[in-house]
Structure formats: structure tokens, C-alpha cells
Amino acid sequence: MNAPQKAWRGLAMEGWIASWYAKNTGKNLTRFLRAAEMLAARFPAGSRLLEVAHGPGFLAVELARRGFAVSGLDVSASFLQIAAENAEKAGVRLDLHQGDAAHMPFPAGSFAGAVCMAAFKNFTDPDGALRELHRVLAPGGVASVLDLRKETDAAELTAELDSMQLDRWNRWITRWTFERMLIPRAYANEEIEALAQKSPFPRWEIARDGVGFELRLYKE
């Protein structure tokens, strides 16, 4: 019998790795605030939203602060704990679940919207993840995939690192991680287009944003 496919590519975000990521990412929450404002403008207050691969929970917390009913899904037990702690500190409630993006533990039609930020490139079954996003959205729902562009150049990466406000050591580690792990693993524009075309979503669009992109998918 074949072993089940691992849900993610690369290192498992557990233990000290998850803590290091949360600490450094949390030094500048600008991109999470921007994403929360963008999503909040698309959905009525009180809508049920899902964040897939929520990590430390920074975006999920910001959405909950804006009055949304937020569920989260992450394969990492460490990130579930960190996200729960961040929600408690913020005084908001998150409905958090551990699981695989390609096999979500939610009924069909559960959410008005869904978002996956900075994690899609790590999925070993991106087609399955898009199918599941389509399944768990209600009719008229919208999913957003926000991630790194493979075409990111040196100047764009430097500007991104400047915005993170890291000390010298963590800046070096973060640049090394981008250059050696994240950018090589990221999708080129034509690859994202191919995935979207194969997905069950009848309509979609891609927008470039700095070192990243947004793939926006609409369910009829």
C-alpha cells in the first residue's frame, strides 16, 4: 500500500520553526492589515470566512476584529496553538481546525469567502486545494489566493525585506529562505493560469502586487 501524499512541500512548520516564523512575521503586520481591508470590502459584515493555512493567525485575527465569523485550517499543530493564543490576546474568537487543504473538514457551501495567504506554493496537491475551495464556498462565493511571484527580482525582494524591519541576522536568514526555498517553489504566472483553468471555478482573474499576486476565483 502506498503511503499517503504529504500535504505540504518543504520543512514542517512545527516547534521552533513555527515560533521563529511567527516572531519575525509578526514584526510588521502591514500586509495582513492590507489583506484584511481588501477582503472586508468584499463581504457583508458577519459573513463566514475561511483562511486556509492560517499560520500564526494574523490575518484571521484581523478579519475577526472586523466582525466576520472566521474559521481557520492549518496542517501545523504548532500554528494552531500560536493562532489560538494570538486570538485570545486580541479578544476575538477563531474556529480553528487541523487538516489538509486538499481534504477540508467543512460541509459544502459553508463560507461566503476564503483566503489562502503565502502558503499555496507549498501545497503538494494544488488542484485538490482549489477543488476543495470551490466545494466549501457558497454560491456566489469568492476565494483569494495570495502568494509570491516566481518572477520576483532582486530589487523587489530587497524592498520587501526593507518593509519587514528585521535585524541583520534575521534579514540574512529571510533573504536566504526567499532565494533558496520560496521563490524556486513559487508559481510563475502561466502556471497559476493553468491551475485556475483546470479548477471548477468558471471565472477567475490574477492581479500583481509587489513581490506577490492575487488569484481571485468566483463560484457561481
Side-chain angles (χ1 to χ4, degrees):
M1 180 180 297
N2 293 329
Q5 184 182 39
K6 190 173 76 167
W8 70 94
R9 297 190 285 174
L11 295 173
M13 298 296 282
E14 299 285 3
W16 71 267
I17 298 176
S19 297
W20 175 85
Y21 178 89
K23 179 180 178 180
N24 282 285
T25 305
K27 290 179 178 178
N28 187 339
L29 299 180
T30 301
R31 64 190 179 110
F32 300 103
L33 294 170
R34 287 178 56 203
E37 288 300 316
M38 176 188 72
L39 293 165
R42 296 179 187 170
F43 303 102
S47 297
R48 290 194 67 196
L49 303 181
L50 170 66
E51 184 176 9
V52 179
H54 56 70
F58 299 129
L59 176 56
V61 164
E62 291 302 326
L63 290 171
R65 278 177 166 155
R66 287 160 175 76
F68 295 101
V70 183
S71 294
L73 178 71
D74 205 290
V75 74
S76 164
S78 296
F79 275 155
L80 260 71
Q81 180 178 348
I82 293 170
E85 292 170 355
N86 285 334
E88 184 177 5
K89 290 175 185 176
V92 299
R93 181 182 179 276
L94 299 179
D95 173 41
L96 301 176
H97 300 259
Q98 186 173 14
D100 174 4
H103 304 90
M104 297 188 194
F106 306 109
S110 294
F111 302 100
V115 60
C116 178
M117 187 171 184
F120 190 78
K121 62 184 169 298
N122 298 320
F123 296 163
T124 55
D125 185 5
D127 293 307
L130 291 180
R131 286 193 299 270
E132 281 290 87
L133 281 171
H134 185 271
R135 182 185 67 81
V136 302
L137 284 178
V142 183
S144 289
V145 175
L146 306 166
D147 217 320
L148 182 66
R149 292 186 298 108
K150 196 178 192 70
E151 296 86 354
T152 296
D153 61 29
E156 290 169 330
L157 178 55
T158 295
E160 180 71 10
L161 292 169
D162 289 344
S163 75
M164 292 181 180
Q165 302 175 2
L166 303 173
D167 60 42
R168 181 178 297 180
W169 168 248
N170 281 304
R171 182 186 176 96
W172 184 88
I173 288 289
T174 303
R175 178 180 285 277
W176 184 92
T177 302
F178 267 96
E179 293 177 341
R180 301 297 180 89
M181 298 175 64
L182 301 183
I183 292 175
R185 195 180 295 158
Y187 289 104
N189 188 73
E190 61 269 20
E191 294 174 312
I192 285 294
E193 289 183 350
L195 285 167
Q197 288 170 352
K198 289 192 296 180
S199 80
F201 290 93
R203 188 163 63 92
W204 52 271
E205 57 192 0
I206 301 173
R208 174 175 169 169
D209 182 18
V211 300
F213 68 87
E214 180 191 10
L215 169 63
R216 196 179 307 175
L217 306 126
Y218 301 88
K219 181 173 179 177
E220 293 183 344

